[in-house]
Amino acid sequence: MASSVASAVAKSSIATTASLAAGPTSTSRATPQGGILEGVNPSHYDSKNPITLFIIQAGIIIIFCRLLHFPLSKLRQPRVIAEVIGGILLGPSVMGRIPGFTNAIFPAASMPTLSLVANLGLVLFLFLVGLEVDLRFLVSNWKVALSVGAAGMALPFGLGCAIAYGLYHQFNDEPGTKPIDFGVYMLFIGVAMAITAFPVLCRILTELKLLGTPVGVIVLSAGVGNDVVGWILLALCVALVNASTGLTALWVLLTCVAWTLFLVYAIRPAFMWMLRRTGSLQNGPTQTVVAVTLLMVLTSAFFTGIIGVHPIFGAFIVGLMCPHDGGFAIKLTEKLEDLVGVLFLPLYFALSGLSTNIGLLNDGITWAYVVGVVTVAFLAKFIGGSVAARCCKLVWRESFTIGALMSCKGLVELIVLNIGLGAKILSTRTFTIFVVMALITTFATTPLTAALYPPWYQKKLESWKRGEIDWDGTRLVSDNEHSKDNVSMEKLQSTQITRLLVNLRLDSLPSLLTLITLLNLNSHSDAKPKVHPLKTSTISEESVHTSMPNSATKRRKILEVHGVRMLELTERTSSVMKVSEADEYAVQDPVVNIFRTFGQLNNVAVSGGVAVIPEGSYADTLTGKASDLFSDMVLIPWSETGSVNDGQNSLLESTENRFTSSPHNQFIANALAKASCNTAIFVNRGFGGPSREVEKTLKRTVSGLSMRSGRDVTITTPITDRSHHIFFPYLGGSDDRVAIRFVLQLAQNPNVTATILYISTAGAIDPTDSESATSPPSRTRTTESLPLASSTTISTSEPHLALDRDRDAAFFGSLRDSLPSALYSRVVFETLETTTPASDLLSRAQAEVGTSPRNAGDLIVVGKGRSVLNERELASLVGGSNAVVVPERRKCLGDVAELMLAMGVKASVLVVKAAGKGLDG
């Protein structure tokens, strides 16, 4: 016995010695640290280092979903469709059939890690959903929300319970499920049928521009209530599944209610105190506030998870609890939404697709249930919502639109289904049936709504409700309206701009406000009038001031200016929230507030708003606003940086691409092409404030680094000379006829002088006749003082040109001869007959403007449509200097404006395009 023990010990010591001698050649060596350089397979799952495979999985999912979303976005489909379809294609239905694909990319051992990250993202996403739900909207529209929301849930819930009977007995014994009572199963199927995807619904309403319509208000109100009630019912269902007895389920629900009351009445007041103390309500959440909020989300999710309710409910409650005052919810959403939307959510919905196996839909009875579930889910929602909307006195087509919108399932439905799959309520086959239903109903919502409620029908319905037309579209005229039409006709005959629509931009605000001040005739009634430089020798400013009639005794039309600031609508949740809270957001918008303050200080009737819309709809929005407000003119500033989007970041952009930015040039071109009234494009070059075209240069230091000294402070001194000089070359045509009236309205401001130059290239106008414009106009003067164009100088093959020139000459002469005495000292009419219009026009413009560098800025006004510039002459002018013609800018603004901008004339440029009543001359 002793000898055998000694022998064993000896063998053990020999083995130990051998292993020590083997050193690094032993099989127990450390994991190679060289990675792929030592032949390690990066797709091999290592539980100690799962990040490598996770990055591969996340990269494939994100890229795949983004590629799928590109074609689907053309069909105006939400991103969740692409994410679920991407997951289905990556799962066992398609790519999972490739041998070795699933084991290499999505091995079973790696799924817990992927699921953990995805569920963390789900918790954060449900918090964002809670932030998006504004309970104030539900309270203010509770009657509509109660009727449409209740009917939109009751009928689907009832029919869902009915079809649950067949599903329960057909698929309840499949692998992956656990035995549950039919009552719990029925409750879950009813909730899955009744719920509406509120986040996707908001995006669809925003995309179709329906949020401000009665349909949008009703759907949004009902959607908020539907969402909250749906989550409560789902929490009840999960509690019943996880509880061993009914008494336990009751305790779970009571604990959940107690936790909600604790958050609302104990935590929320303290949270609000902290927000006010840190200024987060007014200025946005600080980093500390974001950290505290996330801790609240995770704590609440942890608590609801450990009591037997899913963690997402805790996150959702915290989201509902956060205030919307001061735009806090929007600003907090902006901090989190990109990470959640770009990384976490695709992973979660791709997991849904990976759990979906279309191959299980392999027999007739299964496909019969697919058709039945889709039919019940759509028709129940459609009928319930439509009937309830009709009871709220909406027309049938509006009601059908509401029913179609309420049938949208979207990502909320998928979350519900995943909870059911995880709780083993649903088998993989039943889960697949409901995923197909969610995809079909979500996919059909946008095209069906667009077909039922197109823009032309919305306009017709709005006019019908106002009593302007009958149902067949025939305009109704009553005695009252006839008198209004007479007033409207009198207004059409007036040439004064009394209603102006302005596109507000942060970078162009100083110049815009200066131009509006000049148009307002009531803000400078006591100002000392200026005198045109050509008339200073014969007229003094004192004599003009004493001879002017008392403006206070005159009845002047009030200038009404409506400003609209357009912000880009993106796929971000915060962008959609800005649309749904547009009125409150407009109250807080700094640009709109500055505009309102300007109106109060300068006696201008102003109104302002914010439009959050897709970038491609900017021009359509301005056209629609102009029509709704019966605007006389739309004023659009050219961006200082070439950026279409307006925001704080635009102030930091360079001005190098100001005139070459394709999106901005396209926006200007669309705005002019679709204009429903006269439109003016304003290119600021130091009008009423400094221009950004000349940027501050960096100082080169000895170290070789470009640095700005903090001591180099530039002080903007007040403008002592508030005068402006306007130069307008009149070439004829409807654009120029509108532009000359605009110039004369600006010239009514005592700080403005103007030179109006009629350029004739036909030799038809006596150049000496322009001298008569410098003499005081006579009340008996007629248009005969300006000889009409001679038809002998015009080819008989172009009689229409002769008629146009006759009309232009007569119009110019009539305005010159009827010039009010109050404008005589500040406005000069001249005529220039030339065979080289480009060079003469340029030299005259350079002589007229930019001669008083200390004034408040000069302006060149031109019409867009007509050009008498010779292409060869224009090329020689530009070629003889360092000027560069920008084809995109020339296409947008016309030849004359391009000549002024390319040659660097020292003045701002305003281009006028006639439309609507302006075409009548």
Side-chain angles (χ1 to χ4, degrees):
M1 182 68 179
S3 61
S4 61
V5 172
S7 175
V9 171
K11 290 180 181 179
S12 176
S13 61
I14 293 172
T16 303
T17 304
S19 64
L20 291 173
T25 62
S26 172
T27 57
S28 63
R29 59 176 294 186
T31 304
Q33 299 300 310
I36 59 174
L37 299 179
E38 294 190 16
V40 175
N41 182 6
S43 65
H44 176 71
Y45 177 72
D46 183 3
S47 59
K48 297 180 180 179
N49 187 28
I51 185 66
T52 304
L53 183 58
F54 173 77
I55 292 174
I56 295 175
Q57 294 170 338
I60 291 175
I61 291 172
I62 293 173
I63 294 173
F64 208 71
C65 293
R66 290 276 166 174
L67 291 176
L68 281 174
H69 179 63
F70 179 75
L72 289 172
S73 63
K74 305 301 180 183
L75 302 175
R76 306 170 90 173
Q77 294 299 320
R79 186 177 298 279
V80 65
I81 295 288
E83 291 167 350
V84 176
I85 293 177
I88 292 174
L89 295 179
L90 291 172
S93 302
V94 181
M95 299 190 71
R97 297 179 181 272
I98 301 175
F101 175 81
T102 302
N103 291 333
I105 304 300
F106 298 103
S110 68
M111 298 312 290
T113 303
L114 190 62
S115 179
L116 174 64
V117 178
N119 279 282
L120 174 61
L122 180 64
V123 169
L124 294 177
F125 173 72
L126 260 294
F127 168 65
L128 294 181
V129 171
L131 281 176
E132 192 173 359
V133 174
D134 190 352
L135 293 178
R136 297 174 302 178
F137 201 81
L138 176 62
V139 172
S140 60
N141 302 278
W142 68 270
K143 290 184 179 179
V144 175
L146 182 62
S147 57
V148 177
M153 289 195 73
L155 185 59
F157 186 86
L159 293 180
C161 292
I163 201 172
Y165 181 83
L167 291 169
Y168 180 81
H169 290 89
Q170 184 68 34
F171 304 112
N172 190 42
D173 56 350
E174 290 192 342
T177 61
K178 65 180 182 180
I180 57 173
D181 294 335
F182 172 70
V184 177
Y185 188 87
M186 180 184 68
L187 177 62
F188 181 85
I189 298 298
V191 172
M193 290 290 191
I195 204 163
T196 296
F198 177 76
V200 176
L201 200 59
C202 285
R203 283 153 182 79
I204 293 176
L205 290 172
T206 306
E207 174 73 21
L208 298 178
K209 302 177 184 178
L210 297 179
L211 272 180
T213 64
V215 168
V217 172
I218 291 174
V219 168
L220 206 60
S221 303
V224 171
N226 198 313
D227 207 40
V228 174
V229 174
W231 289 117
I232 293 173
L233 290 177
L234 186 60
L236 172 63
C237 183
V238 173
L240 291 173
V241 171
N242 293 333
S244 56
T245 64
L247 183 61
T248 305
L250 178 62
W251 279 112
V252 169
L253 290 176
L254 291 177
T255 306
C256 189
V257 171
W259 175 251
T260 303
L261 295 176
F262 173 73
L263 288 176
V264 172
Y265 292 104
I267 301 299
R268 190 176 190 274
F271 186 59
M272 292 294 293
W273 176 85
M274 185 182 71
L275 295 182
R276 294 190 185 95
R277 185 67 179 268
T278 59
S280 296
L281 281 179
Q282 297 79 20
N283 306 318
T286 63
Q287 193 176 63
T288 302
V289 169
V290 173
V292 170
T293 306
L294 289 178
L295 285 174
M296 289 167 52
V297 171
L298 296 176
T299 302
S300 183
F302 166 78
F303 185 82
T304 55
I306 62 174
I307 65 174
V309 184
H310 201 281
I312 63 174
F313 297 104
F316 181 71
I317 294 170
V318 175
L320 287 177
M321 187 189 73
C322 289
H324 287 251
D325 304 351
F328 175 79
I330 295 176
K331 295 169 185 174
L332 181 59
T333 302
E334 290 174 342
K335 304 287 185 182
L336 305 173
E337 59 186 345
D338 283 345
L339 182 62
V340 175
V342 173
L343 176 62
F344 289 135
L345 271 188
L347 298 183
Y348 183 81
F349 293 120
L351 276 178
S352 300
L354 290 173
S355 302
T356 304
N357 190 353
I358 303 295
L360 294 177
L361 308 180
N362 54 3
D363 54 29
I365 188 64
T366 303
W367 276 107
Y369 273 107
V370 170
V371 175
V373 168
V374 172
T375 303
V376 168
F378 176 76
L379 288 182
K381 275 285 187 180
F382 184 81
I383 295 174
S386 299
V387 172
R390 181 61 179 170
C391 293
C392 292
K393 299 182 180 180
L394 273 73
V395 300
W396 276 115
R397 198 158 179 173
E398 282 182 310
S399 303
F400 290 151
T401 305
I402 291 174
L405 286 166
M406 294 298 291
S407 67
C408 178
K409 299 296 182 183
L411 46 82
V412 174
E413 175 74 13
L414 295 169
I415 294 172
V416 172
L417 297 178
N418 276 280
I419 291 174
L421 184 65
K424 297 184 178 181
I425 300 174
L426 301 178
S427 65
T428 303
R429 191 192 305 268
T430 314
F431 176 81
T432 303
I433 292 174
F434 277 85
V435 168
V436 172
M437 177 270 290
L439 287 175
I440 292 175
T441 53
T442 305
F443 193 93
T445 301
T446 300
L448 188 58
T449 302
L452 287 171
Y453 206 58
W456 66 265
Y457 182 79
Q458 298 174 35
K459 293 180 180 178
K460 173 187 174 182
L461 191 63
E462 186 178 355
S463 299
W464 176 74
K465 288 182 177 181
R466 287 199 301 258
E468 297 175 359
I469 61 173
D470 61 16
W471 188 249
D472 295 327
T474 306
R475 183 164 293 277
L476 304 175
V477 181
S478 63
D479 293 336
N480 252 348
E481 291 175 350
H482 186 67
S483 64
K484 291 180 181 178
D485 287 343
N486 290 337
V487 175
S488 299
M489 288 302 297
E490 293 177 5
K491 182 178 178 182
L492 287 176
Q493 295 171 359
S494 173
T495 60
Q496 294 287 335
I497 295 174
T498 58
R499 290 185 178 180
L500 182 67
L501 175 64
V502 182
N503 175 24
L504 297 177
R505 289 186 60 94
L506 182 60
D507 54 4
S508 306
L509 203 56
S511 57
L512 282 177
L513 299 184
T514 302
L515 190 59
I516 295 172
T517 303
L518 297 183
L519 282 172
N520 182 30
L521 304 181
N522 297 313
S523 61
H524 292 279
S525 57
D526 299 328
K528 188 176 181 180
K530 304 297 179 182
V531 177
H532 195 284
L534 296 180
K535 298 185 177 182
T536 52
S537 60
T538 59
I539 303 175
S540 65
E541 292 186 1
E542 288 75 10
S543 62
V544 173
H545 186 63
T546 56
S547 63
M548 280 188 64
N550 186 7
S551 59
T553 62
K554 291 185 177 181
R555 183 181 178 185
R556 290 177 168 175
K557 295 182 178 179
I558 297 177
L559 178 65
E560 299 177 9
V561 186
H562 181 84
V564 55
R565 188 185 187 201
M566 297 185 293
L567 301 177
E568 184 185 9
L569 173 65
T570 64
E571 297 177 346
R572 292 183 170 92
T573 303
S574 59
S575 182
V576 178
M577 293 170 69
K578 290 176 184 177
V579 179
S580 59
E581 301 177 21
D583 294 337
E584 183 176 348
Y585 188 78
V587 173
Q588 302 161 2
D589 185 79
V591 175
V592 176
N593 281 331
I594 291 173
F595 182 64
R596 291 196 185 101
T597 304
F598 159 79
Q600 294 173 356
L601 296 177
N602 291 273
N603 196 25
V604 181
V606 301
S607 63
V610 176
V612 185
I613 50 178
E615 186 178 293
S617 301
Y618 279 14
D620 294 328
T621 300
L622 287 177
T623 302
K625 288 277 186 184
S627 299
D628 296 340
L629 298 169
F630 302 102
S631 300
D632 300 320
M633 176 174 281
V634 178
L635 180 60
I636 305 175
W638 192 285
S639 170
E640 297 283 345
T641 61
S643 172
V644 180
N645 301 321
D646 180 36
Q648 296 286 351
N649 294 333
S650 64
L651 298 178
L652 305 177
E653 297 179 7
S654 172
T655 60
E656 293 180 0
N657 300 323
R658 183 183 185 188
F659 297 109
T660 58
S661 172
S662 296
H664 188 267
N665 291 338
Q666 188 63 42
F667 158 61
I668 296 294
N670 289 340
L672 293 175
K674 300 178 180 180
S676 58
C677 66
N678 301 327
T679 304
I681 308 299
F682 181 53
V683 183
N684 175 42
R685 305 181 78 181
F687 192 78
S691 174
R692 290 192 59 199
E693 287 191 357
V694 181
E695 297 183 348
K696 185 184 290 186
T697 57
L698 297 176
K699 296 182 179 180
R700 183 67 60 182
T701 61
V702 178
S703 64
L705 298 176
S706 297
M707 302 178 65
R708 282 195 181 97
S709 172
R711 293 171 294 179
D712 297 337
V713 179
T714 303
I715 299 177
T716 302
T717 58
I719 298 176
T720 55
D721 182 5
R722 297 183 178 275
S723 65
H724 303 270
H725 184 64
I726 299 176
F727 174 65
F728 172 56
Y730 178 76
L731 303 174
S734 58
D735 294 347
D736 279 31
R737 289 193 289 272
V738 172
I740 195 172
R741 292 189 180 115
F742 183 76
V743 170
L744 291 176
Q745 181 169 349
L746 289 174
Q748 295 181 46
N749 189 292
N751 288 322
V752 175
T753 58
T755 298
I756 301 175
L757 180 66
Y758 183 14
I759 298 178
S760 172
T761 59
I765 299 178
D766 183 7
T768 61
D769 187 69
S770 63
E771 297 175 1
S772 63
T774 61
S775 60
S778 172
R779 294 299 177 188
T780 61
R781 183 184 294 269
T782 65
T783 58
E784 293 176 358
S785 62
L786 182 68
L788 300 182
S790 173
S791 60
T792 59
T793 60
I794 306 297
S795 171
T796 56
S797 61
E798 299 178 343
H800 63 282
L801 293 180
L803 293 175
D804 288 344
R805 286 173 182 148
D806 289 349
R807 183 183 183 187
D808 295 335
F811 182 80
F812 180 83
S814 65
L815 287 181
R816 182 197 62 185
D817 294 341
S818 60
L819 185 70
S821 58
L823 299 183
Y824 159 69
S825 63
R826 302 196 300 277
V827 180
V828 169
F829 285 82
E830 293 184 341
T831 301
L832 174 66
E833 184 175 312
T834 178
T835 57
T836 56
S839 57
D840 291 344
L841 176 58
L842 178 62
S843 59
R844 187 57 189 273
Q846 291 172 337
E848 286 282 341
V849 298
T851 57
S852 301
R854 295 182 181 275
N855 73 348
D858 294 337
L859 180 66
I860 298 176
V861 180
V862 299
K864 178 184 182 297
R866 181 170 293 185
S867 174
V868 294
L869 304 182
N870 184 285
E871 192 71 27
R872 186 176 301 173
E873 182 189 7
L874 180 62
S876 64
L877 279 175
V878 175
S881 64
N882 295 326
V884 177
V885 173
V886 183
E888 298 88 352
R889 181 178 63 188
R890 182 179 181 183
K891 183 178 179 181
C892 290
L893 302 181
D895 290 348
V896 180
E898 178 61 29
L899 177 65
M900 299 295 107
L901 293 171
M903 300 304 295
V905 179
K906 297 179 180 180
S908 301
V909 177
L910 188 135
V911 181
V912 178
K913 174 73 166 60
K917 67 180 183 182
L919 293 174
D920 300 331

